[in-house]
Amino acid sequence: MTTVAAYAAPAAKAPLERTAIERRAVGEFDVLIGIEFVGICHSDIHQAREGWGEAIFPMVPGHEIAGVVAEVGPGVTRFRAGDRVGVGCMVDSCRACANCAAGLQQYCTGGGPVWTYNSIGKDGEPTYGGYSEKIVVDENFVVRIPDGLSLDVAAPLLCAGITTYSPLRHWNAGPGKKVAVVGLGGLGHMAVKIAHAMGAEVTVLSQSLRKKDDGLRLGADQYHATSDPKTFEELAGTFDIILNTVSASLDFAAYLSVLRTDGTMVNLGLPEEPVQIGLQSLFGHRRSMSSSGIGGIPETQEMLEFCAEHGAGAEIELIGAAEINEAYERVQASDVRYRFVIDTATI
């Protein structure tokens, strides 16, 4: 085992602090990664503050990991020392169920995936995430970061990128399709970039017009304020796909009204409290309400190649580890454009 420095939440809602954790020895099929950058995802905050229910503490968050391979086990065939790699939200799964066989490890039915942190690994030990110097991961859950992406802007793609790419691919975003993105934050700004790169017509639906210039610069064709009731009247029956990237309760009837017949609203954010949806909103135009969870390993690799080809890295604000707690507060206040990324050299 190896001792590495990390930042952890010692208890629910407690400030994160510098600590030391143990990483397992490199096994036959393991990859030891020297972490260089790790993104701060809103789900890190939900979990560190136990907003989604009981959690495991101490907790080392971080599932948007980019770094360089330092060592590989003797059975590893896909990577070697010096490779630029990433790790996302999962570090294992059953690998035997139909979903795992289809490359949909995020929907593993054989006990569920082993999450990168706040989970229990197959060895019975808690998993610790990327707010740390190094991590050891089975090669099957490591992806290659293309040379066309710098590691700092690639890190958020391991969650924000794949979480938006997967539903856009699944619901066939592309030329001739109209896509609305609810919220222009960490997820939303990547949804705009990716949908635009796919050739769709993209509209941002945000509470205000405060970020309109950014939205248009990132690839949106239109930008509307949802605080204006006329927005929903003007856009009624417009969109094929709505990607809801916010983790708050919405007036779902209003948003569903702007879908075309057979349109789908895909929810990516996960509010901490239950939400209510009137089924009347779905009748009449065969509209659908759905959701999507990250993406499997093959699709994550596909997404990275796509983003490299289209120059679609994340918009980031690079911070030192000592700024993590302040960054959490700023994320809660929507005061980031558009993803905080920790330089792990500062840990």
Side-chain angles (χ1 to χ4, degrees):
M1 299 182 76
T2 302
T3 301
V4 302
Y7 266 73
K13 300 179 177 63
L16 277 73
E17 56 188 37
R18 191 174 187 273
T19 187
I21 59 172
E22 297 293 328
R23 293 297 191 189
R24 69 173 185 263
V26 176
E28 183 175 3
F29 301 105
D30 283 339
V31 177
L32 172 64
I33 301 166
I35 301 172
E36 297 199 2
F37 300 98
V38 59
I40 293 179
C41 178
H42 206 150
S43 60
D44 296 346
I45 302 172
H46 284 298
Q47 296 189 82
R49 296 183 174 177
E50 222 167 27
W52 288 339
E54 188 174 350
I56 303 168
F57 294 96
M59 179 191 298
V60 178
H63 57 211
E64 295 181 337
I65 299 168
V68 176
V69 175
E71 181 185 346
V72 299
V76 172
T77 59
R78 298 169 56 199
F79 303 99
R80 61 183 180 181
D83 285 349
R84 304 164 76 250
V85 296
V87 177
C89 300
M90 305 174 288
V91 291
D92 213 340
S93 69
C94 82
R95 312 191 199 187
C97 70
N99 283 344
C100 285
L104 299 171
Q105 297 91 345
Q106 77 274 30
Y107 301 133
C108 172
T109 58
V114 176
W115 303 115
T116 305
Y117 69 91
N118 193 30
S119 193
I120 299 295
K122 291 181 178 177
D123 59 2
E125 296 296 322
T127 56
Y128 295 122
Y131 294 10
S132 57
E133 295 177 299
K134 299 176 182 178
I135 191 169
V136 179
V137 181
D138 184 284
E139 69 169 330
N140 290 293
F141 288 81
V142 178
V143 289
R144 190 177 302 277
I145 295 178
D147 290 338
L149 290 168
S150 62
L151 292 180
D152 53 354
V153 303
L157 302 183
L158 277 304
C159 178
I162 186 58
T163 297
T164 51
Y165 180 90
S166 184
L168 288 168
R169 270 282 181 250
H170 181 77
W171 275 278
N172 301 310
K177 292 292 183 73
K178 294 186 176 182
V179 175
V181 177
V182 181
L184 192 69
L187 290 180
H189 92 284
M190 285 309 310
V192 170
K193 284 192 172 192
I194 292 170
H196 173 74
M198 289 178 173
E201 182 180 317
V202 185
T203 297
V204 175
L205 302 177
S206 185
Q207 193 169 23
S208 73
L209 299 179
R210 182 168 57 95
K211 299 178 183 177
K212 181 177 180 179
D213 289 345
D214 279 1
L216 298 178
R217 174 179 60 83
L218 295 170
D221 299 284
Q222 297 183 53
Y223 199 108
H224 293 274
T226 56
S227 56
D228 183 354
K230 292 182 180 179
T231 290
F232 295 98
E233 297 174 14
E234 295 172 0
L235 297 176
T238 296
F239 301 107
D240 300 286
I241 306 164
I242 299 174
L243 284 194
N244 174 23
T245 72
V246 303
S247 296
S249 182
L250 300 175
D251 181 352
F252 286 100
Y255 285 89
L256 289 166
S257 74
V258 301
L259 285 173
R260 289 178 171 175
T261 299
D262 289 328
T264 302
M265 181 171 182
V266 187
N267 292 283
L268 306 179
L270 183 61
E272 294 183 359
E273 301 297 330
V275 299
Q276 290 188 336
I277 302 168
L279 292 179
Q280 296 90 337
S281 306
L282 302 175
F283 287 110
H285 291 275
R286 206 162 54 195
R287 293 165 174 146
S288 298
M289 174 77 82
S290 192
S291 63
S292 179
I294 53 170
I297 299 303
E299 190 173 45
T300 301
Q301 187 65 63
E302 177 185 299
M303 174 274 303
L304 288 168
E305 300 292 343
F306 179 90
C307 288
E309 179 183 351
H310 293 277
E315 306 283 311
I316 68 167
E317 183 174 334
L318 195 63
I319 64 170
E323 301 171 82
I324 291 173
N325 291 305
E326 178 187 353
Y328 273 28
E329 297 304 320
R330 288 181 58 191
V331 170
Q332 294 284 74
S334 298
D335 180 26
V336 53
R337 297 193 178 184
Y338 281 92
R339 201 62 147 190
F340 285 119
V341 172
I342 303 164
D343 179 352
T344 60
T346 63
I347 293 178

